[in-house]
Short mmCIF file of all heavy atoms in Angstrom, two decimals:
data_model
loop_
_atom_site.label_atom_id
_atom_site.label_comp_id
_atom_site.label_asym_id
_atom_site.label_seq_id
_atom_site.Cartn_x
_atom_site.Cartn_y
_atom_site.Cartn_z
N GLN I 105 -68.14 16.53 -155.46
CA GLN I 105 -67.75 15.25 -154.76
C GLN I 105 -68.98 14.46 -154.33
O GLN I 105 -68.93 13.21 -154.51
CB GLN I 105 -66.85 15.59 -153.57
CG GLN I 105 -66.36 14.40 -152.86
CD GLN I 105 -65.37 14.78 -151.72
OE1 GLN I 105 -65.67 15.67 -150.94
NE2 GLN I 105 -64.11 14.23 -151.69
N SER I 106 -70.00 15.19 -153.80
CA SER I 106 -71.17 14.48 -153.41
C SER I 106 -71.92 13.83 -154.53
O SER I 106 -72.43 12.71 -154.47
CB SER I 106 -72.15 15.46 -152.65
OG SER I 106 -73.36 14.90 -152.32
N ASN I 107 -71.85 14.57 -155.72
CA ASN I 107 -72.51 14.07 -156.94
C ASN I 107 -71.79 12.77 -157.43
O ASN I 107 -72.35 11.84 -157.87
CB ASN I 107 -72.55 15.07 -158.02
CG ASN I 107 -73.52 16.20 -157.75
OD1 ASN I 107 -74.34 16.06 -156.80
ND2 ASN I 107 -73.42 17.27 -158.48
N ALA I 108 -70.46 12.83 -157.30
CA ALA I 108 -69.69 11.60 -157.71
C ALA I 108 -70.06 10.45 -156.91
O ALA I 108 -70.16 9.31 -157.35
CB ALA I 108 -68.24 11.93 -157.59
N THR I 109 -70.20 10.59 -155.58
CA THR I 109 -70.56 9.51 -154.67
C THR I 109 -72.01 9.09 -155.10
O THR I 109 -72.17 7.82 -155.00
CB THR I 109 -70.64 10.06 -153.27
OG1 THR I 109 -69.31 10.56 -152.87
CG2 THR I 109 -71.02 8.96 -152.31
N SER I 110 -72.82 9.92 -155.44
CA SER I 110 -74.16 9.50 -155.85
C SER I 110 -74.15 8.63 -157.16
O SER I 110 -74.86 7.65 -157.25
CB SER I 110 -75.05 10.70 -156.11
OG SER I 110 -76.36 10.36 -156.66
N ILE I 111 -73.28 9.08 -158.09
CA ILE I 111 -73.19 8.34 -159.29
C ILE I 111 -72.55 6.91 -159.11
O ILE I 111 -73.11 5.90 -159.57
CB ILE I 111 -72.34 9.08 -160.34
CG1 ILE I 111 -73.06 10.40 -160.78
CG2 ILE I 111 -72.06 8.19 -161.59
CD1 ILE I 111 -72.20 11.30 -161.53
N VAL I 112 -71.55 6.74 -158.35
CA VAL I 112 -70.93 5.46 -158.17
C VAL I 112 -71.80 4.58 -157.26
O VAL I 112 -71.69 3.39 -157.37
CB VAL I 112 -69.51 5.52 -157.47
CG1 VAL I 112 -68.59 6.41 -158.37
CG2 VAL I 112 -69.58 6.20 -156.12
N GLY I 113 -72.69 5.16 -156.50
CA GLY I 113 -73.61 4.37 -155.74
C GLY I 113 -74.76 3.79 -156.48
O GLY I 113 -75.45 2.96 -155.98
N ASP I 114 -74.96 4.26 -157.75
CA ASP I 114 -75.93 3.70 -158.55
C ASP I 114 -75.43 2.49 -159.30
O ASP I 114 -74.53 2.49 -160.05
CB ASP I 114 -76.37 4.82 -159.68
CG ASP I 114 -77.41 4.38 -160.58
OD1 ASP I 114 -77.74 3.19 -160.62
OD2 ASP I 114 -78.05 5.31 -161.25
N LYS I 115 -76.01 1.39 -158.91
CA LYS I 115 -75.52 0.02 -159.45
C LYS I 115 -75.87 -0.16 -160.95
O LYS I 115 -75.47 -1.21 -161.44
CB LYS I 115 -76.06 -1.09 -158.60
CG LYS I 115 -75.60 -1.05 -157.13
CD LYS I 115 -74.12 -0.96 -157.04
CE LYS I 115 -73.63 -0.93 -155.61
NZ LYS I 115 -72.11 -0.83 -155.52
N THR I 116 -76.44 0.79 -161.57
CA THR I 116 -76.56 0.69 -163.02
C THR I 116 -75.64 1.57 -163.77
O THR I 116 -75.55 1.62 -165.03
CB THR I 116 -78.08 1.11 -163.48
OG1 THR I 116 -78.27 2.49 -163.24
CG2 THR I 116 -79.06 0.30 -162.71
N ALA I 117 -74.84 2.34 -163.08
CA ALA I 117 -73.94 3.39 -163.54
C ALA I 117 -72.63 2.79 -164.07
O ALA I 117 -72.01 2.00 -163.35
CB ALA I 117 -73.68 4.57 -162.62
N VAL I 118 -72.31 3.09 -165.33
CA VAL I 118 -71.03 2.56 -165.86
C VAL I 118 -69.99 3.59 -166.13
O VAL I 118 -68.87 3.27 -166.48
CB VAL I 118 -71.35 1.78 -167.19
CG1 VAL I 118 -72.15 0.57 -166.96
CG2 VAL I 118 -72.07 2.71 -168.20
N GLY I 119 -70.34 4.87 -166.00
CA GLY I 119 -69.28 5.94 -166.23
C GLY I 119 -69.92 7.28 -166.01
O GLY I 119 -71.09 7.44 -165.80
N ALA I 120 -69.06 8.29 -166.11
CA ALA I 120 -69.52 9.67 -165.82
C ALA I 120 -68.83 10.67 -166.84
O ALA I 120 -67.69 10.48 -167.19
CB ALA I 120 -69.26 10.07 -164.38
N VAL I 121 -69.56 11.62 -167.15
CA VAL I 121 -69.12 12.74 -168.06
C VAL I 121 -69.13 14.06 -167.25
O VAL I 121 -70.10 14.32 -166.57
CB VAL I 121 -70.01 12.91 -169.31
CG1 VAL I 121 -69.55 14.09 -170.09
CG2 VAL I 121 -69.98 11.65 -170.14
N GLY I 122 -67.94 14.72 -167.26
CA GLY I 122 -67.86 15.93 -166.52
C GLY I 122 -66.78 15.85 -165.54
O GLY I 122 -65.99 14.89 -165.53
N PRO I 123 -66.51 16.99 -164.80
CA PRO I 123 -67.25 18.19 -164.75
C PRO I 123 -66.81 19.25 -165.64
O PRO I 123 -65.99 19.02 -166.49
CB PRO I 123 -67.12 18.54 -163.24
CG PRO I 123 -65.68 18.21 -162.98
CD PRO I 123 -65.51 16.89 -163.70
N LEU I 124 -67.34 20.48 -165.53
CA LEU I 124 -66.85 21.69 -166.27
C LEU I 124 -65.53 22.23 -165.60
O LEU I 124 -64.57 22.39 -166.36
CB LEU I 124 -67.90 22.76 -166.22
CG LEU I 124 -67.47 24.09 -166.83
CD1 LEU I 124 -67.12 24.05 -168.24
CD2 LEU I 124 -68.63 25.09 -166.51
N ASN I 125 -65.64 22.41 -164.31
CA ASN I 125 -64.58 23.06 -163.50
C ASN I 125 -63.38 22.16 -163.10
O ASN I 125 -63.69 21.14 -162.52
CB ASN I 125 -65.09 23.85 -162.40
CG ASN I 125 -66.32 24.69 -162.81
OD1 ASN I 125 -67.42 24.27 -162.89
ND2 ASN I 125 -66.03 25.99 -163.12
N SER I 126 -62.22 22.50 -163.33
CA SER I 126 -61.03 21.72 -162.91
C SER I 126 -61.02 21.55 -161.46
O SER I 126 -60.62 20.57 -160.89
CB SER I 126 -59.73 22.30 -163.43
OG SER I 126 -59.67 22.24 -164.86
N GLY I 127 -61.34 22.68 -160.73
CA GLY I 127 -61.37 22.52 -159.24
C GLY I 127 -62.39 21.56 -158.73
O GLY I 127 -62.18 20.83 -157.70
N VAL I 128 -63.52 21.47 -159.37
CA VAL I 128 -64.53 20.45 -159.04
C VAL I 128 -63.98 19.02 -159.30
O VAL I 128 -64.17 18.10 -158.50
CB VAL I 128 -65.76 20.69 -159.82
CG1 VAL I 128 -66.79 19.57 -159.51
CG2 VAL I 128 -66.39 22.04 -159.39
N ALA I 129 -63.30 18.90 -160.43
CA ALA I 129 -62.77 17.58 -160.83
C ALA I 129 -61.80 17.04 -159.78
O ALA I 129 -61.77 15.81 -159.54
CB ALA I 129 -62.03 17.72 -162.25
N GLN I 130 -61.04 17.95 -159.19
CA GLN I 130 -60.00 17.44 -158.14
C GLN I 130 -60.65 16.76 -156.97
O GLN I 130 -60.05 15.84 -156.44
CB GLN I 130 -59.19 18.67 -157.67
CG GLN I 130 -58.24 19.20 -158.70
CD GLN I 130 -57.46 20.38 -158.26
OE1 GLN I 130 -57.93 21.23 -157.44
NE2 GLN I 130 -56.27 20.55 -158.62
N THR I 131 -61.91 17.19 -156.68
CA THR I 131 -62.58 16.48 -155.61
C THR I 131 -63.31 15.21 -155.97
O THR I 131 -63.72 14.43 -155.12
CB THR I 131 -63.64 17.44 -154.92
OG1 THR I 131 -64.73 17.70 -155.88
CG2 THR I 131 -63.02 18.80 -154.61
N MET I 132 -63.46 14.98 -157.25
CA MET I 132 -64.23 13.85 -157.83
C MET I 132 -63.31 12.64 -158.18
O MET I 132 -63.78 11.50 -158.13
CB MET I 132 -65.04 14.30 -159.00
CG MET I 132 -66.02 15.44 -158.75
SD MET I 132 -66.87 15.98 -160.24
CE MET I 132 -68.09 14.64 -160.42
N GLN I 133 -62.18 12.94 -158.55
CA GLN I 133 -61.26 11.91 -159.13
C GLN I 133 -61.12 10.66 -158.21
O GLN I 133 -61.16 9.57 -158.69
CB GLN I 133 -59.89 12.47 -159.46
CG GLN I 133 -59.90 13.37 -160.67
CD GLN I 133 -58.44 13.91 -160.98
OE1 GLN I 133 -57.81 14.44 -160.13
NE2 GLN I 133 -57.99 13.69 -162.19
N GLN I 134 -60.85 10.93 -156.95
CA GLN I 134 -60.62 9.87 -156.03
C GLN I 134 -61.87 8.95 -155.82
O GLN I 134 -61.82 7.75 -155.65
CB GLN I 134 -60.19 10.37 -154.68
CG GLN I 134 -59.85 9.27 -153.65
CD GLN I 134 -58.76 8.37 -154.06
OE1 GLN I 134 -57.63 8.82 -154.25
NE2 GLN I 134 -59.04 7.02 -154.18
N VAL I 135 -63.04 9.60 -155.89
CA VAL I 135 -64.27 8.93 -155.69
C VAL I 135 -64.46 7.91 -156.86
O VAL I 135 -64.80 6.76 -156.68
CB VAL I 135 -65.54 9.87 -155.64
CG1 VAL I 135 -66.80 9.14 -155.61
CG2 VAL I 135 -65.34 10.85 -154.49
N PHE I 136 -64.29 8.34 -158.04
CA PHE I 136 -64.37 7.50 -159.21
C PHE I 136 -63.26 6.42 -159.27
O PHE I 136 -63.54 5.33 -159.67
CB PHE I 136 -64.46 8.35 -160.45
CG PHE I 136 -65.76 9.13 -160.68
CD1 PHE I 136 -65.70 10.53 -160.73
CD2 PHE I 136 -66.94 8.47 -160.81
CE1 PHE I 136 -66.89 11.17 -160.93
CE2 PHE I 136 -68.12 9.15 -160.96
CZ PHE I 136 -68.07 10.54 -161.07
N ALA I 137 -62.10 6.84 -158.87
CA ALA I 137 -60.97 5.88 -158.87
C ALA I 137 -61.28 4.70 -157.88
O ALA I 137 -60.92 3.59 -158.17
CB ALA I 137 -59.73 6.58 -158.50
N SER I 138 -61.77 5.10 -156.77
CA SER I 138 -62.04 4.03 -155.74
C SER I 138 -63.16 3.08 -156.16
O SER I 138 -63.09 1.87 -155.81
CB SER I 138 -62.58 4.70 -154.46
OG SER I 138 -61.53 5.56 -153.89
N ALA I 139 -63.98 3.53 -157.04
CA ALA I 139 -65.06 2.66 -157.57
C ALA I 139 -64.72 2.05 -158.93
O ALA I 139 -65.47 1.28 -159.56
CB ALA I 139 -66.42 3.45 -157.74
N ASN I 140 -63.46 2.38 -159.41
CA ASN I 140 -62.97 1.89 -160.69
C ASN I 140 -63.91 2.20 -161.80
O ASN I 140 -64.27 1.39 -162.67
CB ASN I 140 -62.62 0.43 -160.73
CG ASN I 140 -61.57 -0.02 -161.75
OD1 ASN I 140 -60.89 0.87 -162.26
ND2 ASN I 140 -61.59 -1.20 -162.09
#
Side-chain angles (χ1 to χ4, degrees):
Q105 185 177 47
S106 176
N107 290 348
T109 300
S110 175
I111 294 170
V112 301
D114 184 341
K115 296 307 180 182
T116 70
V118 292
V121 174
L124 167 67
N125 307 85
S126 292
V128 175
Q130 288 179 326
T131 68
M132 302 176 79
Q133 286 182 307
Q134 180 62 59
V135 177
F136 287 117
S138 296
N140 202 18

